[in-house]
Amino acid sequence: MPVIVNLDELLYQRRMTLTELAERVDITLANLSILKTGKAKAIRFSTLEAICRELECQPGDLLGFDKGEG
Amino acid sequence: MTDNTQNRILRVTRWLVYLIMGLVAFVSVVLAGVSVILPFYWSEAVKELLTSHPGMNVTELLPLLLAVFALGIVVLGLIWTIMRKLLAIIASVEIGNPFVPANAARLKAIGWMMVALQLVGIPLAILAGKAADLFGESDTGLDISLNGILAILLVFILAGIFERGAEMREELEGTV
């Protein structure tokens, strides 16, 4: 999928687990897993905002675009 | 509409469907039983009929009655199948996932079965009328139910709505 989600790296940098992140934001662990494994088809702005707030990052840190694919 | 009211309505609907299915089952068993037994006791039945309705044309009566009973069982079978599909739709609403392609298919099937009910109703009414004539009562008539046609239209429209709803739900899947 051309849009890359860098959730793993960001969690590692903040020394946070996916479960901890799920507890802090109003997103289910299942949905965060879907996001992390690149299976998400769409992301709400509210979700993006919550993750960026907790991980203290920019959307551009969380998401990337790989021109090579597709 | 609050969740509780919605759930209550759903539960009442479910029990109404069970009630109708119970009635259908009961009437079907009775009809089937009578259809099978009647030909064997026909001569006794004829004697009774001729005493209460002298001069009745009893040779025509048996095949007419059996035909009416057979069509009646077809009608009951259609109603039974419609009720079963309704139960499946209600179940999908109860688990919170009604907008699936299966429900659109069920609604379409219900629509076509309702059309069949209207169509079967025509010969049924005609034959029942002929049987009633033999008894000297001609109060059975044939009326095309406008309510029935309206209901059929609504069901097909609903099927289309559910198809679109299922598509929209599918699009939403995978949104985090």
Side-chain angles (χ1 to χ4, degrees):
Chain A
M1 165 126 187
V3 173
I4 305 166
V5 178
N6 302 313
L7 195 51
D8 268 337
E9 270 178 50
L10 286 171
L11 283 173
Y12 178 70
Q13 282 170 19
R14 306 283 181 276
R15 302 287 188 269
M16 201 187 293
T17 63
L18 203 62
T19 316
E20 281 167 6
L21 181 61
E23 285 165 12
R24 292 198 200 188
V25 302
D26 196 12
I27 301 165
T28 62
L29 187 56
N31 275 351
L32 278 181
S33 274
I34 290 173
L35 185 59
K36 188 179 99 108
T37 54
K39 298 213 167 53
K41 290 190 208 156
I43 184 168
R44 296 188 184 91
F45 279 168
S46 55
T47 304
L48 200 52
E49 174 192 324
I51 295 177
C52 288
R53 190 180 53 238
E54 286 307 320
L55 297 182
E56 295 175 340
C57 64
Q58 287 290 310
D61 302 324
L62 180 65
L63 303 169
F65 177 61
D66 185 351
K67 273 177 264 182
E69 286 182 47
Chain B
M1 195 179 283
T2 64
D3 249 347
N4 265 337
T5 322
Q6 182 71 352
N7 285 343
R8 219 174 292 146
I9 292 179
L10 218 54
R11 245 181 299 137
V12 168
T13 309
R14 181 187 264 278
W15 282 104
L16 279 175
V17 173
Y18 285 146
L19 182 67
I20 294 175
M21 287 176 87
L23 283 171
V24 167
F26 175 70
V27 176
S28 304
V29 166
V30 168
L31 262 189
V34 170
S35 312
V36 165
I37 294 176
L38 194 58
F40 291 101
Y41 290 89
W42 188 237
S43 34
E44 279 103 329
V46 164
K47 263 188 240 149
E48 293 266 348
L49 283 171
L50 284 177
T51 39
S52 51
H53 296 81
M56 175 197 283
N57 185 346
V58 285
T59 40
E60 277 189 24
L61 188 58
L62 183 60
L64 267 182
L65 281 183
L66 290 181
V68 168
F69 292 163
L71 285 177
I73 289 179
V74 168
V75 165
L76 291 170
L78 283 171
I79 298 178
W80 176 270
T81 316
I82 291 176
M83 292 298 121
R84 290 215 48 158
K85 290 196 184 292
L86 276 184
L87 279 180
I89 295 176
I90 293 173
S92 73
V93 176
E94 284 174 344
I95 65 175
N97 195 14
F99 289 108
V100 288
N103 276 348
R106 287 181 187 119
L107 282 167
K108 263 195 228 148
I110 290 175
W112 285 118
M113 283 191 274
M114 287 170 75
V115 171
L117 275 174
Q118 295 281 335
L119 293 177
V120 169
I122 297 175
L124 183 57
I126 294 176
L127 291 175
K130 286 213 179 124
D133 282 344
L134 291 180
F135 279 89
E137 303 159 25
S138 334
D139 61 344
T140 54
L142 168 69
D143 24 34
I144 296 183
S145 160
L146 210 55
N147 265 339
I149 296 179
L150 177 61
I152 292 173
L153 290 177
L154 277 173
V155 168
F156 277 116
I157 291 172
L158 213 54
I161 290 175
F162 264 76
E163 237 172 65
R164 187 71 192 96
E167 282 170 26
M168 288 170 70
R169 196 198 127 277
E170 170 111 29
E171 272 174 40
L172 209 52
E173 196 126 326
T175 296
V176 298

